[in-house]
Amino acid sequence: MEKETQKKVLLSGIQPSGDLHLGNYLGAIKNWAELSDQFECYWFMADLHTITVRQNPADLRRRTLTQIAVYIACGLDPEKNTIFVQSHVPAHAELGWVLDCYTMFGELSRMTQFKDKSAKHADNINAGLFTYPCLMAADILLYQPDFVPVGEDQKQHVEICRDIANRFNHVYGEVFRMPEPYIPKQGARVMSLNQPDTKMSKSIPEGCVFLLEKPEDILRKFKRAVTDSDTEHCVRYAPGEKPGVSNLIQIYAACTGKSFEDVEREFDGKGYGVFKPAVGEAVVETLRPIREETERLLADKAYLESVYRAGAEKASYVANKTLRKVYKKVGFLAP
Ligand code: ATP
Ligand code: LTN
C-alpha cells in the first residue's frame, strides 16, 4: 500500500458520446494499458461532458457500459487501475462549479473545441459547452495527477487546467498539483482514411474504423482509403507531401510494432494495391481480441457493475479529500 501511494499519478477520460474508434485506441487507450504498471492510474467515462451535446439516453447508457468493457478488453486491468464513471463521483460536478468561478469568460472564449462544437451545433450553444474546460479541470485536479495522457487535440484543455490551478494556488496556497499533458509519440494523431487532412473521428464514419466493427467492413474501408495523387506510388513516410500513405504507415507501424523505416522497406516496390489491404489485415488482427473480449465482458453485467462500483468508491475517496480542502480554502462552513 505504501509503495502504491508513491507512484506518480495518471488520469484520463473519454466521452461515451460515440463508439470508440482506432484513433481513440492508438492515440489513447493502447498507451494507457502500457502505463498502468508504472503509475497509479484513474480512467473514467466522461459522461457528464457528453450532455453538452444532445444525447439519446438509452444510447448513452449502452455506450458508457460498452466503453468500460472496451477499456478492460484493451488491457486496463481493474485490479491495477481505477476505472469509473464520472457521474458516479459527485465531486466532479461540485469542484467544476467552484472552478467556474475561477475561470474567465475571455479564456473560455478562446478554446478551439468550443469554437468548433458551437459551429457544429449552432442550435444548442449551451453554457455547459462553454464551461466544459472548467469541468475537465475539476476531473483532473481532484486526483492531483502528475500526468494527463491525451491526444494533441486536448492539449489546450490541459493548459487551461494548469492556468486555473495556478490562479487558485496563487490565492490559497498549494492546493492543486500542476499536471503535465502526456502526448504519446507513436499514433498521436490518426487521420481519417478518406480525408487524411482531418483527424479520424466518429463524425466521418466512412473514414473511421470502429473498434467493434466487423472485419469485412474494416477491410473494405482500408481498400478504399485515400492515397496520394503523386506519381511515384511508393510507400514512403512524408506527412506533408503524402498525408494518406503516411497515415497508413503510422497505423501499420502502431499495429505491428514496426518502425516507419521497416514498413517502407517491407513494401518497397509493392505499390498501394498490396499495401492498403495489408494495413487492413493488421488492423483486423489487432482489433479481433479486443472485440471478442468486449463481447464476453458485456455478457457478464454483474462483473462490469462490480468494476465500476469499486472504481467509484476508490475515486470518491481520493476526490473528496481534494474537494474538502478546496471548500475549506474558499471559506465554506464545514457541514
Ligand atoms: P470525435 O470523434 O467527435 O472527434 P473523439 O473520437 O475525438 O471525438 P474524444 O473523446 O475527443 O473523442 O477523444 C478521446 C481520446 O482519444 C482523446 O485523448 C483524444 O485525443 C483521442 N483521440 C481521438 N481521436 C483521435 C485520433 N484521430 N488520433 C489520435 N487520438 C485521438
Ligand atoms: N475532453 C476530453 C475528455 C475528458 C478528459 C477529462 C480527458 C474529460 N475530462 C480529463 C482527460 C482528463 C475529450 O473530449 N477527449
Side-chain angles (χ1 to χ4, degrees):
M1 194 62 202
E2 191 54 27
K3 198 158 167 258
E4 191 78 350
T5 52
Q6 283 167 6
K7 282 185 179 171
K8 296 242 186 215
V9 178
L10 278 186
L11 163 135
S12 197
I14 297 185
Q15 297 187 49
S17 53
D19 296 327
L20 291 170
H21 55 74
L22 192 65
N24 301 134
Y25 177 63
L26 296 178
I29 310 167
K30 178 172 184 260
N31 308 295
W32 298 356
E34 289 158 13
L35 297 167
S36 52
D37 279 329
Q38 230 177 313
F39 297 96
E40 171 160 9
C41 299
Y42 295 86
W43 313 114
F44 66 98
M45 322 306 129
D47 59 346
L48 295 177
H49 280 98
T50 62
I51 62 163
T52 53
V53 172
R54 287 280 174 272
Q55 303 291 330
N56 172 305
D59 286 345
L60 177 57
R61 237 184 309 276
R62 176 186 54 78
R63 283 194 309 253
T64 305
L65 194 68
T66 305
Q67 190 169 314
I68 298 170
V70 171
Y71 277 18
I72 302 170
C74 288
L76 299 178
D77 177 354
E79 299 292 321
K80 293 192 204 152
N81 296 270
T82 304
I83 298 174
F84 67 99
V85 179
Q86 188 187 25
S87 65
H88 294 178
V89 182
H92 289 248
E94 292 168 314
L95 182 62
W97 167 252
V98 175
L99 299 184
D100 279 351
C101 304
Y102 291 80
T103 310
M104 300 302 132
F105 184 89
E107 60 190 338
L108 290 175
S109 318
R110 289 192 290 274
M111 291 289 113
T112 313
Q113 182 170 300
F114 172 69
K115 289 193 254 177
D116 289 352
K117 289 210 174 165
S118 39
K120 220 154 118 192
H121 306 279
D123 56 336
N124 183 23
I125 306 177
N126 59 72
L129 194 61
F130 189 64
T131 61
Y132 182 113
C134 305
L135 180 59
M136 178 156 164
D139 300 338
I140 296 170
L141 298 174
L142 280 172
Y143 300 89
Q144 309 280 3
D146 298 278
F147 300 108
V148 182
V150 285
E152 263 320 311
D153 59 317
Q154 291 297 317
K155 230 170 113 180
Q156 197 186 29
H157 284 155
V158 180
E159 273 154 18
I160 193 177
C161 167
R162 289 167 57 89
D163 293 341
I164 299 169
N166 254 322
R167 184 172 301 136
F168 196 93
N169 284 353
H170 190 71
V171 181
Y172 301 104
E174 291 302 300
V175 177
F176 297 125
R177 177 178 292 161
M178 214 46 65
E180 301 276 346
Y182 185 102
I183 315 272
K185 275 186 243 47
Q186 219 184 39
R189 202 168 154 82
V190 180
M191 309 308 279
S192 164
L193 297 185
N194 62 351
Q195 293 175 36
D197 52 344
T198 337
K199 76 165 189 155
M200 181 177 284
S201 151
K202 59 186 174 280
S203 49
I204 318 173
E206 258 318 290
C208 179
V209 175
F210 295 97
L211 295 186
L212 306 180
E213 206 167 353
K214 290 205 242 38
E216 56 269 32
D217 293 337
I218 298 178
L219 290 171
R220 180 179 48 80
K221 285 181 178 173
F222 276 96
K223 281 191 188 135
R224 288 195 196 156
V226 168
T227 36
D228 308 294
S229 51
D230 58 358
T231 45
E232 68 173 18
H233 276 273
C234 112
V235 177
R236 184 166 61 83
Y237 187 76
E241 235 177 285
K242 296 160 77 79
V245 170
S246 302
N247 185 39
L248 295 177
I249 293 178
Q250 184 189 226
I251 293 173
Y252 188 77
C255 289
T256 57
K258 294 176 183 167
S259 68
F260 294 174
E261 297 76 34
D262 285 345
V263 181
E264 286 173 349
R265 225 168 292 127
E266 184 176 343
F267 293 96
D268 188 24
K270 293 209 175 110
Y272 302 154
V274 176
F275 180 52
K276 290 201 285 185
V279 183
E281 290 289 348
V283 171
V284 165
E285 288 319 311
T286 301
L287 298 186
R288 187 187 305 281
I290 294 174
R291 186 183 31 136
E292 289 173 359
E293 181 61 4
T294 302
E295 283 164 4
R296 195 188 67 74
L297 288 165
L298 283 172
D300 190 355
K301 297 271 184 313
Y303 172 71
L304 289 176
E305 269 174 33
S306 73
V307 168
Y308 68 66
R309 288 209 178 117
E313 195 178 324
K314 165 91 192 290
S316 295
Y317 176 79
V318 177
N320 286 333
K321 263 211 273 201
T322 306
L323 185 69
R324 274 199 302 274
K325 198 164 169 188
V326 168
Y327 275 14
K328 193 169 164 194
K329 290 284 184 184
V330 299
F332 293 160
L333 182 66

